[in-house]
Amino acid sequence: MTDPVPVAVPRKGRPLEAVLERIAAVSADDRLDRLADSVSNTLRYEKAVTKGSVDADAGPYDRLAEYSDPTTTAEPEFTLMRDDRNGKPRRIVFDAATVDLGDVTVKLVGREEPFRALRTHEFALGFDSADLVLEEVVGIRDAGLGNISDINDRIDPVDTDVRVVTGLGDTVYHTLMGREDRRAPNTTFDRAYLDDYEGPLCISPRYERLVTAVLGTDALNGVEFVYPEADEEEEAAIARVGLGVYLTVTGSTAREHGLSVGEHLFPSETVLMRNAAETDDSVSSVLRALEHEAADSEIRV
């Protein structure tokens, strides 16, 4: 029997849910729908426990034993790790699951940083946030970047062998927004607005390189990055500064701060990636399986 093809996936959060939902969508196996629901519900509960909004009925080791059945390959496995929150609480996260995609079997393996696992050739295939690709390897140019499909053109092949294959469509946008009272009539906060703007632009410190890649250096002439103060909500900070970039879900809370939601600059989306230097036939088999099974879906392998 051929060993399953290992594929790196996030251990928790929206990107993992997107991976599980997409794999369930491209398979005729009803078990994968149940797998996606089971893992997602378990991790949402564990997140609530970690944040203190839910009191667990049992300790972490008892819960871990309840969730995981390592003797049954068809069932998911979980593991225990230290969360990066204050106090470093223990948190149960996804570890592994084996799934069948037609003629090929895939083992989803949880990694804290799947993208970096591909960069070091630990895996040939993996899923992670497109944000990490922009933060680490996408080149900074005069012109900005707006689409997932443009990422590979910005990757220096000397820097990494990893390439983006497709996005999964779990899109939350990095969005330009500003104070409603500073927006002229019949105008919007968009890239054209930035071309003529000089002054502070409020962003999260971790997104400085990402925002620079997305907007381009030309648009940032005369612009100074500023950051939220300690314990200040990002949207409140943008309202204080007047203009900023924020990872927007609905925009409803932005409006509560008197902000006008402008142009969606770049999708924060989970992407399927491959290490192009890894040319084993098993990698091609997985990609062919996804392409075949997703003929009527949005996968663009």
Side-chain angles (χ1 to χ4, degrees), residues 178-185 187 189 193 197 200 238-243 258:
R179 286 254 301 271
E180 180 68 35
D181 58 7
R182 297 191 185 183
R183 183 172 63 87
T187 64
F189 292 114
Y193 180 91
Y197 174 79
I238 293 173
R240 172 174 55 81
V241 172
L243 188 69

Side-chain angles (χ1 to χ4, degrees), residues 157-199:
V158 175
D159 190 29
T160 181
D161 295 315
V162 179
R163 299 293 181 272
V164 172
V165 177
T166 185
L168 299 193
D170 58 320
T171 309
V172 179
Y173 283 96
H174 294 281
T175 303
L176 186 66
M177 58 180 66
R179 286 254 301 271
E180 180 68 35
D181 58 7
R182 297 191 185 183
R183 183 172 63 87
N186 301 318
T187 64
T188 188
F189 292 114
D190 56 15
R191 292 177 188 263
Y193 180 91
L194 270 178
D195 287 340
D196 298 324
Y197 174 79
E198 293 186 358

Side-chain angles (χ1 to χ4, degrees), residues 94-201:
F94 177 77
D95 190 57
T98 301
V99 300
D100 291 324
L101 294 177
D103 296 330
V104 63
T105 301
V106 170
K107 184 169 185 177
L108 305 176
V109 182
R111 283 292 181 268
E112 194 64 18
E113 298 175 332
F115 172 56
R116 291 171 184 166
L118 265 70
R119 293 194 72 186
T120 57
H121 296 257
E122 185 181 352
F123 292 83
L125 293 170
F127 296 86
D128 212 335
S129 171
D131 288 358
L132 296 179
V133 184
L134 267 66
E135 289 168 12
E136 294 203 5
V137 298
V138 165
I140 304 298
R141 298 184 183 176
D142 295 344
L145 180 72
N147 299 299
I148 296 291
S149 59
D150 297 331
I151 290 179
N152 288 341
D153 291 337
R154 298 285 185 97
I155 297 177
D156 186 343
V158 175
D159 190 29
T160 181
D161 295 315
V162 179
R163 299 293 181 272
V164 172
V165 177
T166 185
L168 299 193
D170 58 320
T171 309
V172 179
Y173 283 96
H174 294 281
T175 303
L176 186 66
M177 58 180 66
R179 286 254 301 271
E180 180 68 35
D181 58 7
R182 297 191 185 183
R183 183 172 63 87
N186 301 318
T187 64
T188 188
F189 292 114
D190 56 15
R191 292 177 188 263
Y193 180 91
L194 270 178
D195 287 340
D196 298 324
Y197 174 79
E198 293 186 358
L201 182 70

Side-chain angles (χ1 to χ4, degrees), residues 23-282:
I23 286 178
V26 301
S27 173
D29 187 350
D30 291 340
R31 184 186 73 85
L32 297 187
D33 283 320
R34 295 193 295 273
L35 174 72
D37 290 342
S38 173
V39 172
S40 296
N41 290 336
T42 296
L43 295 181
R44 287 174 188 170
Y45 173 75
E46 287 300 321
K47 179 180 180 180
V49 170
T50 304
K51 294 178 66 176
S53 55
V54 171
D55 292 327
D57 295 330
Y61 293 104
D62 291 330
R63 301 199 307 276
L64 185 62
E66 178 186 350
Y67 300 150
S68 295
D69 182 7
T71 62
T72 306
T73 58
E75 296 301 318
E77 299 174 43
F78 297 84
T79 191
L80 198 62
M81 61 177 289
R82 290 289 180 184
D83 196 88
D84 58 3
R85 298 175 189 272
N86 291 337
K88 303 293 183 182
R90 290 171 296 181
R91 180 168 178 175
I92 292 175
V93 295
F94 177 77
D95 190 57
T98 301
V99 300
D100 291 324
L101 294 177
D103 296 330
V104 63
T105 301
V106 170
K107 184 169 185 177
L108 305 176
V109 182
R111 283 292 181 268
E112 194 64 18
E113 298 175 332
F115 172 56
R116 291 171 184 166
L118 265 70
R119 293 194 72 186
T120 57
H121 296 257
E122 185 181 352
F123 292 83
L125 293 170
F127 296 86
D128 212 335
S129 171
D131 288 358
L132 296 179
V133 184
L134 267 66
E135 289 168 12
E136 294 203 5
V137 298
V138 165
I140 304 298
R141 298 184 183 176
D142 295 344
L145 180 72
N147 299 299
I148 296 291
S149 59
D150 297 331
I151 290 179
N152 288 341
D153 291 337
R154 298 285 185 97
I155 297 177
D156 186 343
V158 175
D159 190 29
T160 181
D161 295 315
V162 179
R163 299 293 181 272
V164 172
V165 177
T166 185
L168 299 193
D170 58 320
T171 309
V172 179
Y173 283 96
H174 294 281
T175 303
L176 186 66
M177 58 180 66
R179 286 254 301 271
E180 180 68 35
D181 58 7
R182 297 191 185 183
R183 183 172 63 87
N186 301 318
T187 64
T188 188
F189 292 114
D190 56 15
R191 292 177 188 263
Y193 180 91
L194 270 178
D195 287 340
D196 298 324
Y197 174 79
E198 293 186 358
L201 182 70
C202 186
I203 64 171
S204 169
R206 62 164 292 196
Y207 286 136
E208 183 166 326
R209 192 181 190 282
L210 182 151
V211 171
T212 302
V214 167
L215 294 177
T217 54
D218 282 351
L220 293 175
N221 285 333
V223 172
E224 174 193 5
F225 286 146
V226 297
Y227 313 108
E229 297 176 354
D231 299 323
E232 183 180 24
E233 293 183 2
E234 288 188 60
E235 287 161 305
I238 293 173
R240 172 174 55 81
V241 172
L243 188 69
V245 177
Y246 183 68
L247 197 60
T248 307
V249 179
T250 64
S252 60
T253 56
R255 287 184 281 271
E256 291 174 4
H257 288 280
L259 296 172
S260 175
V261 178
E263 182 178 349
H264 291 329
L265 299 171
F266 191 83
S268 176
E269 188 172 343
T270 304
V271 292
L272 169 62
M273 299 169 293
R274 69 174 298 176
N275 188 309
E278 303 292 334
T279 57
D280 190 277
D281 287 344
S282 62

